[in-house]
Structures are given as structure tokens and as C-alpha cells.
Amino acid sequence: MDVPPLVWTLTIAGIVGLLAFDFFFHVRKAHTPTLKESAIWSSIYVGIALLFGLGVLLFGGTPMGTEYFAGYVTEKALSVDNLFVFLIIMASFKVPRADQQKVLLFGIVFSLIARTAFIFLGAALINSFAWVFYIFGLILLITAGNLLKPDNHDDDSEGLVVRLAKKYLPASEHYDGDKLFTMENGKRVLTPMLLVMVAIGGTDILFALDSIPAIFGLTQNVFIVFTATAFSLMGLRQLFFLIDGLLDRLIFLAYGLAAILGFIGVKLILHALHENNLPFINDGEPVNVVEVSTNISLTVILGVLVVTVLASIFSPKGKAKNAVSGAKRHATEYLDLNYETDMAERGKLFARMVREEDQLRSLPEKYKRLIRNETEFMDLLRKAHTEHDEAQVRAANP
């Protein structure tokens, strides 16, 4: 189904309007969103995406609507996985909690731009070369294999571009609010805020290389690919603050995504065989193979995600890993004065860390192996306790 230019224009205007609203009413003034604020706005953005899908279903028909929902769910799941990497990058650069919203919004906008470029490039390739489906399928199968590797989220957070920028461009070690440049010793230098945005932008390009072939495996309708991708990114900022504490607990998410991407990769290769024109495969003739319908794809994707999330949340290993990673993160945040200068907020961080320490003490011995570099981990906790004791002494004797 061809989408009229007016619908394209209104859709793009609506998406740009949502991004502008997000910036001027939520992100422009640096603050840490409350759980209630994040929950409300996450629900609103998901609601907008679902309403848009119902509109597609009503005006575009059942096949088009099913393709949209399958694409939206897949891209949303991949976006949640991307939040793990964003979390690592921002922790590495010690981004102030109140300024993380701006970094996330930049990541969303850059991701949308990068993915849009890949969408139209992918569409042009598909229209010209049917064998591109083989390439897309292979990319997804390789990506699925990489997700099954242990510690697939522990990659270098800086990347080549950031390392080159630090080496050859003057950069400050300190933040100056949310400014990208600042004056230091009379010279104009980069701030870590600009460097973290470069790091986020670099990872966004890599994410696009995975996500676009995935959704093209579900639909070749460019309008559906674009809108499902765009709406999956909407509200990602709020979702980050809403599930920040749950991210580390989704220990089986990588396995679920690997299953989904592997399934879509096989689906793409089957489609490529059905449309085959490569001379060295079946003498250039289409191969009579079974093709997977979009309805089956949507069912498989939803089923895998439900099982993955439930298994992660209720498994003893998930609870254990959440306690370990949470205690480490909260201890690091507490010790870093530049990370969160609000003493009341630091008190909350310390209380969370103490609760997670209590959970760690009650863990069965087999789960304590989840603590990597145990000596460093214990030293970190001791430093946090020492700092807290000293802070209490200073408060009692101003």
C-alpha cells in the first residue's frame, strides 16, 4: 500500500513535535526525573505508539497493522537492550544524574537520524537487488551469535572517535553544567558532555546496523519500517529512568534477543531463497521454501520476550546479579562527588547500597561467584562506608 505524501508529512511533523516537546518541557532544565514522572510519560509514549498502530490497522488493513506491531515490539526490545550500553557509557564518563536526560535525548535524536538514513538506503538496495536479503539475514545471524557471548555489554565505552578526540583536541576533565565547550586556563576546550555524546552517537550507528535488517525482515514497507522504528525510540529516555534498577536484572534479555534476531535472520534467508536470482543458487531460479507469515513472527517475538522477562525477573540468579551490580553502581555514584552533589540524594544512594549489601550476604555461595574482581568490589564498598561515616561526622560538627 502506497502512503500519500500528506500522511508522510503529518507523521514526520508529529514525531519532530514530540521530540521538541520532550526537549523544551522536560530536558531543557536539568533535573532527575522521579519514578512517577518517568512512569507517566513512558505510558503516554507507549500509548501514542499503540494508537498510531491502531490507525495503521484501521486505514492500512490487517497485514499492514500486524507488520507495524511486529516491527514496533522488535525495535522496542532492541532499544531496551541499547539502554544497557548507554548506562555503561554514562557511568564511564560520570555524567551528572541531572544531565543524563539531555545525553539520552541526543542519543535518541541521533539514533533516529542514523536509522532513517539506513532505512532509505536499505529500501533502495532491496528494490534494486533481491540478494540483499541474504546479506541482511547473515548480519542478523552473526548479531544473534554475538549476543550469546558472555559479557556482550562490557565493550569499550569510549570508542575510536572519542580516543582520537581526547588525544588530539583540548578536552577538560570536568563538567561545566551541560555545556559542550568551556574555558580552562584561558583556552576553549571540549567538556566530557561533548565526548559522551560522541560516544553515544558512535554506538547508535552500530545499533542501526543491527536493528534495520531486523525490521526489514518483518516488512518491506518503508513507512512501516520508519514509523515502527521512530515510535520505538520515543519515550526511551523516560523508560531509562523507569527501569534503571531493573536493567541489570534482565539477565536473559540477550538470549531472548538472540533468539528473535536468529528467527528473523532465518526468515530473511528463506525469503531471499523464495525471491532468488543468484546464478549459483538453483541456477538463478526461485527456491520453493516455506515462508514465515507476519502473524507467526509477531507471536514468536511476543512469546520469546514474555518468557525472557519473566525468567529474568523471577530467577534467583537475576535477583543475585541485580544486587551485585546495583551495590557496585550505587557505591560508585556515592563516592563520586561530581556525579551527584545533592547530599540528600547521596543519602538515598547509600541506603540502596546498604540494602543490596544485605541481599548479598544472604546469597547462596554459588551466586557469590557473580562478583567479579571481588577484592576491588569489597574495597569499593568499604570506601563508600568510610566516606559516609566521615560525612556524618562533618554534618555533626560543622
Side-chain angles (χ1 to χ4, degrees):
M1 176 182 174
D2 292 329
V3 178
L6 178 61
V7 175
W8 268 102
T9 303
L10 292 175
T11 301
I12 293 172
I15 291 169
V16 172
L18 286 172
L19 291 171
F21 175 83
D22 213 10
F23 176 76
F24 287 107
F25 290 93
H26 292 121
V27 176
R28 195 174 184 183
K29 183 179 179 181
H31 73 287
T32 302
T34 64
L35 189 64
K36 181 180 178 181
E37 177 187 342
S38 299
I40 290 173
W41 284 103
S42 291
S43 301
I44 288 173
Y45 279 109
V46 170
I48 291 172
L50 294 179
L51 285 174
F52 184 86
L54 291 176
V56 173
L57 195 66
L58 181 63
F59 295 104
T62 301
M64 196 170 175
T66 306
E67 288 176 357
Y68 168 82
F69 283 112
Y72 172 75
V73 171
T74 301
E75 292 298 304
K76 197 69 173 178
L78 289 170
S79 297
V80 171
D81 188 58
N82 298 162
L83 288 180
F84 280 100
V85 182
F86 288 168
L87 179 64
I88 292 170
I89 290 174
M90 288 193 288
S92 173
F93 282 90
K94 300 180 175 65
V95 180
R97 185 73 169 172
D99 291 323
Q100 288 182 4
Q101 290 199 96
K102 186 163 289 186
V103 174
L104 286 168
L105 185 61
F106 167 81
I108 291 168
V109 172
F110 191 89
S111 182
L112 184 56
I113 293 171
R115 294 184 192 203
T116 300
F118 279 110
I119 286 169
F120 286 102
L121 175 61
L125 289 172
I126 287 171
N127 289 333
S128 301
F129 311 103
W131 52 261
V132 169
F133 286 110
Y134 287 113
I135 304 297
F136 281 2
L138 186 60
I139 289 173
L140 293 184
L141 291 175
I142 292 172
T143 303
N146 288 333
L147 283 172
L148 294 176
K149 292 179 180 178
D151 308 325
N152 68 83
H153 289 298
D154 290 343
D155 297 327
D156 178 18
S157 60
E158 289 192 352
L160 177 63
V161 176
V162 174
R163 289 197 296 270
L164 289 175
K166 282 185 173 182
K167 185 174 182 179
Y168 295 107
L169 297 174
S172 171
E173 294 292 329
H174 308 289
Y175 286 90
D176 185 5
D178 59 2
K179 294 179 181 177
L180 303 182
F181 298 91
T182 188
M183 297 299 293
E184 196 171 84
N185 300 323
K187 294 182 179 179
R188 186 176 174 83
V189 295
L190 312 177
T191 68
M193 182 63 74
L194 179 58
L195 294 176
V196 73
M197 287 186 174
V198 170
I200 292 284
T203 58
D204 278 333
I205 293 175
L206 295 177
F207 294 154
L209 290 173
D210 296 337
S211 68
I212 298 309
I215 194 168
F216 268 118
L218 299 169
T219 176
Q220 284 81 61
N221 186 313
V222 178
F223 181 76
I224 296 299
V225 172
F226 172 75
T227 53
T229 301
F231 282 112
S232 72
L233 294 171
M234 296 288 104
L236 197 60
R237 176 184 63 79
Q238 294 86 349
L239 188 64
F240 174 85
F241 290 97
L242 180 63
I243 66 172
D244 187 4
L246 277 177
L247 281 175
D248 292 312
R249 194 161 170 176
L250 298 176
I251 58 172
F252 298 122
L253 181 61
Y255 298 103
L257 289 176
I260 291 171
L261 292 181
F263 169 76
I264 298 175
V266 171
K267 182 177 185 293
L268 272 172
I269 291 174
L270 290 174
H271 181 73
L273 289 169
H274 190 267
E275 303 290 328
N276 179 65
N277 57 12
L278 293 179
F280 53 86
I281 297 178
N282 200 36
D283 295 325
E285 296 296 320
V287 181
N288 186 20
V289 294
V290 175
E291 286 208 80
V292 182
S293 70
T294 307
N295 287 331
I296 293 176
S297 298
L298 180 57
T299 303
V300 170
I301 291 165
L302 288 174
V304 169
L305 286 177
V306 169
V307 171
T308 298
V309 172
L310 292 178
S312 297
I313 291 176
F314 293 107
S315 72
K317 185 177 178 181
K319 296 177 182 177
K321 188 168 183 179
N322 187 54
V324 172
S325 57
K328 181 178 180 181
R329 185 169 70 252
H330 292 138
T332 302
E333 293 175 8
Y334 183 85
L335 287 169
D336 196 335
L337 291 175
N338 291 326
Y339 193 90
E340 185 61 77
T341 56
D342 184 351
M343 297 306 294
E345 185 65 25
R346 286 186 65 192
K348 294 178 183 177
L349 288 174
F350 185 80
R352 291 176 195 163
M353 185 195 79
V354 170
R355 285 197 299 271
E356 286 150 351
E357 283 183 280
D358 292 337
Q359 292 174 24
L360 288 174
R361 293 188 188 97
S362 64
L363 287 178
E365 195 61 36
K366 63 179 180 178
Y367 292 125
K368 292 181 180 179
R369 294 177 311 201
L370 294 171
I371 303 175
R372 276 184 270 151
N373 302 319
E374 185 173 355
T375 302
E376 293 179 17
F377 176 74
M378 298 308 295
D379 285 343
L380 182 68
L381 296 181
R382 277 193 288 270
K383 287 179 183 177
H385 278 278
T386 301
E387 171 64 25
H388 182 68
D389 292 340
E390 291 175 354
Q392 286 185 317
V393 171
R394 287 194 298 270
N397 302 284

